[in-house]
Amino acid sequence: MKKILLVCNAGMSTSMLVTKMKKAAEEGGVEVSIEAKSLSEAKTQIEEADIVLLGPQIRYELANVKKIAGSVPVEAIDMKDYGMMNGAKVLKHALEVID
């Protein structure tokens, strides 16, 4: 099972996207664990993830999170997909990066 970690300032707005991503995964028969965390919470769990996705509001932290993550891929979520809460598209991109 793949583990996707979404990170934003407080973990609140991304939790809505997580719900949409989980629904897309269920509809597609994809076994995946998806969680939303604040940046401070996520720092202790990054190495357990298969990919870390940053909310657009903390895109400026991309370089810092990549340093912390080591070999775990870190990507910023596309602003349009985030704004539209396009869980299926964000999930698809995450799975493509993992594979």
Side-chain angles (χ1 to χ4, degrees), residues 1-64:
M1 180 182 304
K2 304 290 184 192
K3 184 171 182 178
I4 301 172
L5 181 60
L6 276 69
V7 182
C8 71
N9 279 331
M12 301 293 261
S13 56
T14 38
S15 63
M16 290 185 286
L17 184 58
V18 165
T19 301
K20 300 225 177 197
M21 290 174 70
K22 285 181 177 179
K23 183 178 180 197
E26 188 177 308
E27 288 171 356
V30 178
E31 285 193 41
V32 65
S33 166
I34 309 169
E35 292 185 84
K37 302 283 182 184
S38 69
L39 182 57
S40 59
E41 287 179 303
K43 286 180 180 177
T44 62
Q45 298 176 17
I46 286 176
E47 64 257 358
E48 298 168 20
D50 291 301
I51 188 169
V52 177
L53 300 175
L54 298 183
Q57 67 273 38
I58 62 163
R59 171 182 233 115
Y60 65 91
E61 289 283 1
L62 188 62
N64 291 332

Side-chain angles (χ1 to χ4, degrees), residues 64-83:
N64 291 332
V65 176
K66 281 185 175 187
K67 286 180 193 171
I68 296 166
S71 64
V72 176
V74 179
E75 300 262 326
I77 299 170
D78 180 87
M79 231 183 274
K80 182 180 173 191
D81 294 335
Y82 189 87

